[in-house]
Short mmCIF file of all heavy atoms in Angstrom, two decimals:
data_model
loop_
_atom_site.label_atom_id
_atom_site.label_comp_id
_atom_site.label_asym_id
_atom_site.label_seq_id
_atom_site.Cartn_x
_atom_site.Cartn_y
_atom_site.Cartn_z
N MET A 1 0.84 -1.21 0.00
CA MET A 1 0.00 0.00 0.00
C MET A 1 0.88 1.25 0.00
O MET A 1 1.91 1.30 0.64
CB MET A 1 -0.89 0.02 1.25
CG MET A 1 -2.09 -0.91 1.16
SD MET A 1 -3.40 -0.23 0.15
CE MET A 1 -4.01 1.10 1.23
N ALA A 2 0.41 2.25 -0.70
CA ALA A 2 1.10 3.54 -0.72
C ALA A 2 0.06 4.60 -0.96
O ALA A 2 -1.03 4.32 -1.47
CB ALA A 2 2.14 3.57 -1.82
N TYR A 3 0.40 5.82 -0.56
CA TYR A 3 -0.49 6.94 -0.85
C TYR A 3 -0.13 7.54 -2.20
O TYR A 3 1.01 7.47 -2.66
CB TYR A 3 -0.38 8.00 0.25
CG TYR A 3 -1.30 7.74 1.43
CD1 TYR A 3 -1.13 6.62 2.24
CD2 TYR A 3 -2.35 8.61 1.71
CE1 TYR A 3 -1.97 6.37 3.31
CE2 TYR A 3 -3.20 8.37 2.79
CZ TYR A 3 -3.01 7.26 3.58
OH TYR A 3 -3.86 7.02 4.65
N LYS A 4 -1.12 8.15 -2.81
CA LYS A 4 -0.93 8.84 -4.09
C LYS A 4 -1.56 10.22 -3.97
O LYS A 4 -2.62 10.37 -3.35
CB LYS A 4 -1.64 8.05 -5.20
CG LYS A 4 -1.61 8.72 -6.57
CD LYS A 4 -2.44 7.89 -7.55
CE LYS A 4 -2.59 8.62 -8.89
NZ LYS A 4 -1.32 8.82 -9.57
N ILE A 5 -0.93 11.23 -4.55
CA ILE A 5 -1.50 12.58 -4.52
C ILE A 5 -2.30 12.80 -5.80
O ILE A 5 -1.79 12.62 -6.91
CB ILE A 5 -0.39 13.63 -4.37
CG1 ILE A 5 0.28 13.48 -3.00
CG2 ILE A 5 -0.95 15.04 -4.56
CD1 ILE A 5 1.48 14.39 -2.76
N THR A 6 -3.55 13.18 -5.62
CA THR A 6 -4.44 13.36 -6.77
C THR A 6 -4.35 14.78 -7.33
O THR A 6 -3.71 15.66 -6.76
CB THR A 6 -5.90 13.10 -6.38
OG1 THR A 6 -6.31 14.14 -5.48
CG2 THR A 6 -6.06 11.75 -5.69
N ASP A 7 -5.05 14.99 -8.43
CA ASP A 7 -5.07 16.30 -9.09
C ASP A 7 -5.67 17.40 -8.22
O ASP A 7 -5.59 18.58 -8.57
CB ASP A 7 -5.87 16.22 -10.40
CG ASP A 7 -5.15 15.42 -11.46
OD1 ASP A 7 -3.94 15.18 -11.29
OD2 ASP A 7 -5.79 15.04 -12.46
N ALA A 8 -6.26 17.03 -7.08
CA ALA A 8 -6.83 18.04 -6.19
C ALA A 8 -5.74 18.89 -5.54
O ALA A 8 -6.01 19.96 -5.01
CB ALA A 8 -7.67 17.36 -5.11
N CYS A 9 -4.49 18.44 -5.59
CA CYS A 9 -3.36 19.14 -4.97
C CYS A 9 -3.25 20.59 -5.45
O CYS A 9 -3.30 20.86 -6.65
CB CYS A 9 -2.06 18.40 -5.29
SG CYS A 9 -0.57 19.21 -4.71
N ILE A 10 -3.10 21.50 -4.48
CA ILE A 10 -2.96 22.92 -4.81
C ILE A 10 -1.53 23.42 -4.58
O ILE A 10 -1.29 24.63 -4.49
CB ILE A 10 -3.95 23.79 -4.00
CG1 ILE A 10 -3.76 23.55 -2.49
CG2 ILE A 10 -5.40 23.47 -4.43
CD1 ILE A 10 -4.58 24.52 -1.62
N ASN A 11 -0.59 22.49 -4.46
CA ASN A 11 0.82 22.83 -4.34
C ASN A 11 1.16 23.70 -3.14
O ASN A 11 2.04 24.56 -3.21
CB ASN A 11 1.31 23.53 -5.62
CG ASN A 11 1.40 22.56 -6.79
OD1 ASN A 11 2.16 21.61 -6.76
ND2 ASN A 11 0.61 22.80 -7.82
N CYS A 12 0.49 23.46 -2.02
CA CYS A 12 0.77 24.28 -0.84
C CYS A 12 2.06 23.89 -0.14
O CYS A 12 2.65 24.68 0.58
CB CYS A 12 -0.39 24.21 0.14
SG CYS A 12 -0.52 22.64 1.01
N GLY A 13 2.48 22.63 -0.34
CA GLY A 13 3.74 22.17 0.25
C GLY A 13 3.64 21.70 1.69
O GLY A 13 4.66 21.30 2.27
N ALA A 14 2.49 21.74 2.28
CA ALA A 14 2.33 21.37 3.70
C ALA A 14 2.72 19.93 3.99
O ALA A 14 3.22 19.61 5.06
CB ALA A 14 0.89 21.63 4.14
N CYS A 15 2.49 19.05 3.07
CA CYS A 15 2.74 17.62 3.31
C CYS A 15 4.22 17.25 3.30
O CYS A 15 4.64 16.36 4.03
CB CYS A 15 2.00 16.78 2.28
SG CYS A 15 2.42 17.18 0.56
N GLU A 16 4.99 17.93 2.50
CA GLU A 16 6.39 17.52 2.30
C GLU A 16 7.18 17.37 3.60
O GLU A 16 7.80 16.32 3.81
CB GLU A 16 7.08 18.48 1.34
CG GLU A 16 8.50 18.04 1.00
CD GLU A 16 9.18 18.95 -0.04
OE1 GLU A 16 8.55 19.90 -0.52
OE2 GLU A 16 10.36 18.68 -0.34
N PRO A 17 7.18 18.36 4.50
CA PRO A 17 7.97 18.20 5.74
C PRO A 17 7.36 17.22 6.74
O PRO A 17 8.03 16.82 7.69
CB PRO A 17 8.02 19.62 6.30
CG PRO A 17 6.79 20.27 5.78
CD PRO A 17 6.59 19.69 4.39
N GLU A 18 6.13 16.82 6.54
CA GLU A 18 5.46 15.92 7.47
C GLU A 18 5.75 14.45 7.20
O GLU A 18 5.54 13.60 8.05
CB GLU A 18 3.94 16.13 7.41
CG GLU A 18 3.49 17.53 7.80
CD GLU A 18 3.88 17.87 9.24
OE1 GLU A 18 3.83 16.97 10.09
OE2 GLU A 18 4.25 19.03 9.50
N CYS A 19 6.25 14.14 6.03
CA CYS A 19 6.50 12.74 5.69
C CYS A 19 7.73 12.22 6.44
O CYS A 19 8.83 12.74 6.26
CB CYS A 19 6.70 12.60 4.18
SG CYS A 19 7.01 10.88 3.69
N PRO A 20 7.55 11.17 7.26
CA PRO A 20 8.66 10.65 8.06
C PRO A 20 9.76 9.99 7.25
O PRO A 20 10.87 9.80 7.75
CB PRO A 20 7.97 9.66 9.01
CG PRO A 20 6.76 9.21 8.26
CD PRO A 20 6.29 10.43 7.50
N VAL A 21 9.47 9.64 6.02
CA VAL A 21 10.48 8.98 5.19
C VAL A 21 10.85 9.81 3.96
O VAL A 21 11.54 9.33 3.06
CB VAL A 21 10.02 7.56 4.78
CG1 VAL A 21 10.03 6.62 5.98
CG2 VAL A 21 8.63 7.58 4.15
N SER A 22 10.41 11.07 3.97
CA SER A 22 10.81 12.04 2.93
C SER A 22 10.65 11.54 1.50
O SER A 22 11.57 11.63 0.68
CB SER A 22 12.26 12.48 3.16
OG SER A 22 12.42 13.02 4.44
N VAL A 23 9.45 11.04 1.20
CA VAL A 23 9.22 10.58 -0.17
C VAL A 23 8.28 11.50 -0.95
O VAL A 23 7.85 11.17 -2.05
CB VAL A 23 8.67 9.13 -0.20
CG1 VAL A 23 9.72 8.16 0.31
CG2 VAL A 23 7.39 8.99 0.59
N ILE A 24 7.96 12.67 -0.36
CA ILE A 24 7.11 13.64 -1.05
C ILE A 24 7.98 14.76 -1.61
O ILE A 24 8.85 15.29 -0.93
CB ILE A 24 6.05 14.24 -0.10
CG1 ILE A 24 5.22 13.13 0.54
CG2 ILE A 24 5.16 15.21 -0.87
CD1 ILE A 24 4.22 13.64 1.58
N SER A 25 7.73 15.12 -2.86
CA SER A 25 8.48 16.20 -3.47
C SER A 25 7.60 16.94 -4.47
O SER A 25 6.56 16.45 -4.88
CB SER A 25 9.72 15.66 -4.19
OG SER A 25 9.35 14.75 -5.19
N ALA A 26 8.02 18.14 -4.83
CA ALA A 26 7.28 18.92 -5.81
C ALA A 26 7.51 18.32 -7.19
O ALA A 26 8.64 18.14 -7.62
CB ALA A 26 7.75 20.37 -5.78
N GLY A 27 6.42 18.01 -7.89
CA GLY A 27 6.54 17.47 -9.23
C GLY A 27 6.36 18.56 -10.27
O GLY A 27 6.40 19.75 -9.94
N ASP A 28 6.17 18.19 -11.50
CA ASP A 28 6.02 19.18 -12.57
C ASP A 28 4.78 20.05 -12.40
O ASP A 28 4.82 21.25 -12.63
CB ASP A 28 5.96 18.47 -13.92
CG ASP A 28 7.31 17.85 -14.30
OD1 ASP A 28 8.33 18.30 -13.76
OD2 ASP A 28 7.32 16.92 -15.12
N SER A 29 3.67 19.43 -11.99
CA SER A 29 2.44 20.21 -11.85
C SER A 29 1.86 20.14 -10.45
O SER A 29 1.28 21.10 -9.97
CB SER A 29 1.41 19.74 -12.88
OG SER A 29 1.15 18.35 -12.73
N ILE A 30 2.02 19.00 -9.80
CA ILE A 30 1.54 18.85 -8.42
C ILE A 30 2.60 18.09 -7.62
O ILE A 30 3.56 17.58 -8.19
CB ILE A 30 0.21 18.07 -8.35
CG1 ILE A 30 0.36 16.68 -8.98
CG2 ILE A 30 -0.92 18.87 -8.98
CD1 ILE A 30 -0.88 15.79 -8.84
N TYR A 31 2.42 18.04 -6.30
CA TYR A 31 3.35 17.27 -5.48
C TYR A 31 3.16 15.78 -5.76
O TYR A 31 2.05 15.35 -6.12
CB TYR A 31 3.13 17.58 -4.00
CG TYR A 31 3.93 18.80 -3.56
CD1 TYR A 31 3.61 20.07 -4.06
CD2 TYR A 31 5.00 18.69 -2.68
CE1 TYR A 31 4.35 21.18 -3.68
CE2 TYR A 31 5.73 19.80 -2.29
CZ TYR A 31 5.41 21.04 -2.80
OH TYR A 31 6.16 22.15 -2.43
N VAL A 32 4.25 15.04 -5.60
CA VAL A 32 4.22 13.62 -5.91
C VAL A 32 4.82 12.80 -4.78
O VAL A 32 5.65 13.28 -4.02
CB VAL A 32 4.96 13.30 -7.23
CG1 VAL A 32 4.25 13.92 -8.42
CG2 VAL A 32 6.41 13.78 -7.16
N ILE A 33 4.38 11.55 -4.67
CA ILE A 33 4.88 10.61 -3.67
C ILE A 33 5.62 9.48 -4.39
O ILE A 33 5.09 8.91 -5.35
CB ILE A 33 3.72 10.01 -2.84
CG1 ILE A 33 3.08 11.10 -1.98
CG2 ILE A 33 4.19 8.83 -1.99
CD1 ILE A 33 1.77 10.68 -1.32
N ASP A 34 6.82 9.16 -3.90
CA ASP A 34 7.55 8.00 -4.40
C ASP A 34 6.94 6.78 -3.72
O ASP A 34 7.22 6.50 -2.56
CB ASP A 34 9.03 8.12 -4.08
CG ASP A 34 9.82 6.89 -4.51
OD1 ASP A 34 9.21 5.96 -5.09
OD2 ASP A 34 11.04 6.84 -4.25
N ALA A 35 6.09 6.09 -4.42
CA ALA A 35 5.33 4.98 -3.84
C ALA A 35 6.21 3.87 -3.29
O ALA A 35 5.82 3.17 -2.35
CB ALA A 35 4.38 4.40 -4.89
N ASP A 36 7.40 3.71 -3.82
CA ASP A 36 8.29 2.64 -3.36
C ASP A 36 8.74 2.85 -1.91
O ASP A 36 9.03 1.89 -1.21
CB ASP A 36 9.53 2.56 -4.25
CG ASP A 36 9.22 1.99 -5.63
OD1 ASP A 36 8.16 1.34 -5.76
OD2 ASP A 36 10.02 2.20 -6.55
N GLY A 37 8.77 4.12 -1.48
CA GLY A 37 9.25 4.39 -0.13
C GLY A 37 8.15 4.69 0.87
O GLY A 37 8.38 4.68 2.08
N CYS A 38 6.96 4.95 0.39
CA CYS A 38 5.84 5.31 1.26
C CYS A 38 5.51 4.18 2.24
O CYS A 38 5.37 3.03 1.83
CB CYS A 38 4.62 5.63 0.41
SG CYS A 38 3.13 5.98 1.37
N ILE A 39 5.39 4.53 3.52
CA ILE A 39 5.08 3.51 4.55
C ILE A 39 3.61 3.57 4.97
O ILE A 39 3.23 3.01 5.99
CB ILE A 39 6.01 3.64 5.77
CG1 ILE A 39 5.90 5.05 6.41
CG2 ILE A 39 7.45 3.34 5.38
CD1 ILE A 39 6.63 5.17 7.75
N ASP A 40 2.81 4.31 4.18
CA ASP A 40 1.36 4.27 4.39
C ASP A 40 0.93 4.82 5.76
O ASP A 40 -0.02 4.33 6.36
CB ASP A 40 0.88 2.82 4.23
CG ASP A 40 -0.60 2.71 3.93
OD1 ASP A 40 -1.13 3.61 3.27
OD2 ASP A 40 -1.21 1.73 4.38
N CYS A 41 1.63 5.85 6.24
CA CYS A 41 1.33 6.36 7.59
C CYS A 41 0.15 7.32 7.62
O CYS A 41 -0.47 7.52 8.66
CB CYS A 41 2.57 7.04 8.17
SG CYS A 41 2.95 8.64 7.42
N GLY A 42 -0.13 7.98 6.48
CA GLY A 42 -1.26 8.90 6.44
C GLY A 42 -0.98 10.32 6.90
O GLY A 42 -1.88 11.16 6.91
N ALA A 43 0.25 10.61 7.30
CA ALA A 43 0.59 11.95 7.79
C ALA A 43 0.33 13.03 6.75
O ALA A 43 -0.13 14.13 7.07
CB ALA A 43 2.05 12.00 8.24
N CYS A 44 0.60 12.72 5.50
CA CYS A 44 0.37 13.70 4.43
C CYS A 44 -1.11 14.03 4.29
O CYS A 44 -1.50 15.19 4.17
CB CYS A 44 0.93 13.18 3.11
SG CYS A 44 0.42 11.51 2.68
N ALA A 45 -1.93 13.01 4.35
CA ALA A 45 -3.37 13.22 4.23
C ALA A 45 -3.91 14.03 5.40
O ALA A 45 -4.82 14.86 5.24
CB ALA A 45 -4.08 11.88 4.14
N ASN A 46 -3.31 13.82 6.57
CA ASN A 46 -3.78 14.52 7.77
C ASN A 46 -3.56 16.02 7.71
O ASN A 46 -4.31 16.79 8.31
CB ASN A 46 -3.10 13.95 9.02
CG ASN A 46 -3.60 12.56 9.37
OD1 ASN A 46 -4.67 12.15 8.95
ND2 ASN A 46 -2.80 11.83 10.14
N VAL A 47 -2.53 16.47 7.02
CA VAL A 47 -2.23 17.91 6.96
C VAL A 47 -2.72 18.56 5.68
O VAL A 47 -2.75 19.79 5.58
CB VAL A 47 -0.72 18.20 7.13
CG1 VAL A 47 -0.25 17.71 8.50
CG2 VAL A 47 0.08 17.59 6.01
N CYS A 48 -3.11 17.79 4.70
CA CYS A 48 -3.52 18.37 3.42
C CYS A 48 -4.86 19.08 3.52
O CYS A 48 -5.85 18.49 3.96
CB CYS A 48 -3.61 17.28 2.36
SG CYS A 48 -4.09 17.92 0.74
N PRO A 49 -4.91 20.37 3.11
CA PRO A 49 -6.15 21.14 3.20
C PRO A 49 -7.23 20.72 2.20
O PRO A 49 -8.40 21.09 2.35
CB PRO A 49 -5.69 22.58 2.94
CG PRO A 49 -4.49 22.44 2.08
CD PRO A 49 -3.80 21.19 2.60
N VAL A 50 -6.83 19.97 1.18
CA VAL A 50 -7.80 19.59 0.15
C VAL A 50 -7.94 18.07 -0.01
O VAL A 50 -8.50 17.58 -0.99
CB VAL A 50 -7.46 20.23 -1.21
CG1 VAL A 50 -7.61 21.75 -1.14
CG2 VAL A 50 -6.04 19.87 -1.65
N ASP A 51 -7.40 17.32 0.97
CA ASP A 51 -7.52 15.86 0.95
C ASP A 51 -7.01 15.24 -0.35
O ASP A 51 -7.62 14.30 -0.87
CB ASP A 51 -8.97 15.44 1.18
CG ASP A 51 -9.48 15.85 2.57
OD1 ASP A 51 -8.68 15.86 3.50
OD2 ASP A 51 -10.68 16.17 2.69
N ALA A 52 -5.91 15.76 -0.85
CA ALA A 52 -5.38 15.24 -2.11
C ALA A 52 -4.68 13.88 -1.99
O ALA A 52 -4.81 13.06 -2.89
CB ALA A 52 -4.45 16.26 -2.74
N PRO A 53 -3.94 13.61 -0.90
CA PRO A 53 -3.31 12.29 -0.81
C PRO A 53 -4.34 11.23 -0.45
O PRO A 53 -5.08 11.38 0.55
CB PRO A 53 -2.28 12.45 0.32
CG PRO A 53 -2.13 13.93 0.52
CD PRO A 53 -3.50 14.48 0.19
N ILE A 54 -4.40 10.16 -1.21
CA ILE A 54 -5.33 9.07 -0.93
C ILE A 54 -4.60 7.74 -0.96
O ILE A 54 -3.67 7.56 -1.72
CB ILE A 54 -6.50 9.04 -1.95
CG1 ILE A 54 -5.97 8.89 -3.36
CG2 ILE A 54 -7.36 10.28 -1.82
CD1 ILE A 54 -7.04 8.58 -4.39
N PRO A 55 -5.03 6.79 -0.11
CA PRO A 55 -4.42 5.47 -0.13
C PRO A 55 -4.88 4.71 -1.37
O PRO A 55 -6.02 4.88 -1.80
CB PRO A 55 -4.93 4.82 1.15
CG PRO A 55 -6.20 5.51 1.47
CD PRO A 55 -6.05 6.91 0.95
N GLU A 56 -4.02 3.94 -1.94
CA GLU A 56 -4.43 3.11 -3.08
C GLU A 56 -3.70 1.80 -3.06
O GLU A 56 -2.80 1.60 -2.28
CB GLU A 56 -4.20 3.84 -4.39
CG GLU A 56 -2.75 4.18 -4.67
CD GLU A 56 -2.53 4.55 -6.13
OE1 GLU A 56 -3.48 4.95 -6.79
OE2 GLU A 56 -1.40 4.40 -6.60
FE1 SF4 B 101 4.92 9.94 3.51
FE2 SF4 B 101 3.19 8.77 5.16
FE3 SF4 B 101 2.27 10.22 3.12
FE4 SF4 B 101 3.46 7.88 2.66
S1 SF4 B 101 1.51 8.19 3.75
S2 SF4 B 101 3.85 9.77 1.55
S3 SF4 B 101 5.02 7.81 4.27
S4 SF4 B 101 3.45 10.99 4.87
FE1 SF4 B 102 -0.74 19.18 -2.39
FE2 SF4 B 102 -2.10 18.60 -0.17
FE3 SF4 B 102 0.56 18.29 -0.23
FE4 SF4 B 102 -0.53 20.73 -0.22
S1 SF4 B 102 -0.63 19.22 1.45
S2 SF4 B 102 1.19 20.03 -1.54
S3 SF4 B 102 -2.36 20.40 -1.48
S4 SF4 B 102 -0.96 17.14 -1.47
#
């Protein structure tokens, strides 16, 4: 399991410093998660103002 950031992302950057394994980064259009490193903790979803990160 890993989280994925959807198109709802508004590029606020709030999630990036909250990830305990630092797998969130700014992508070309929205923030992105490196699914290989995601430990499915949900911290990014907890701080996102638009609920863009979703488990998949
Ligand atoms: Fe990082 Fe946790 Fe979000 Fe995965 S679910 S990207 S480990 S904050
Ligand atoms: Fe995008 Fe939400 Fe992360 Fe902000 S907190 S950069 S809106 S995914």
Side-chain angles (χ1 to χ4, degrees):
M1 283 282 288
Y3 273 65
K4 176 184 173 64
I5 294 175
T6 67
D7 290 345
C9 175
I10 56 172
N11 289 298
C12 73
C15 56
E16 185 176 359
E18 298 299 323
C19 180
V21 289
S22 303
V23 294
I24 304 175
S25 60
D28 291 338
S29 57
I30 58 174
Y31 273 67
V32 294
I33 293 169
D34 177 2
D36 288 341
C38 176
I39 58 172
D40 200 33
C41 73
C44 50
N46 289 339
V47 298
C48 181
V50 293
D51 297 326
I54 58 169
E56 62 164 23

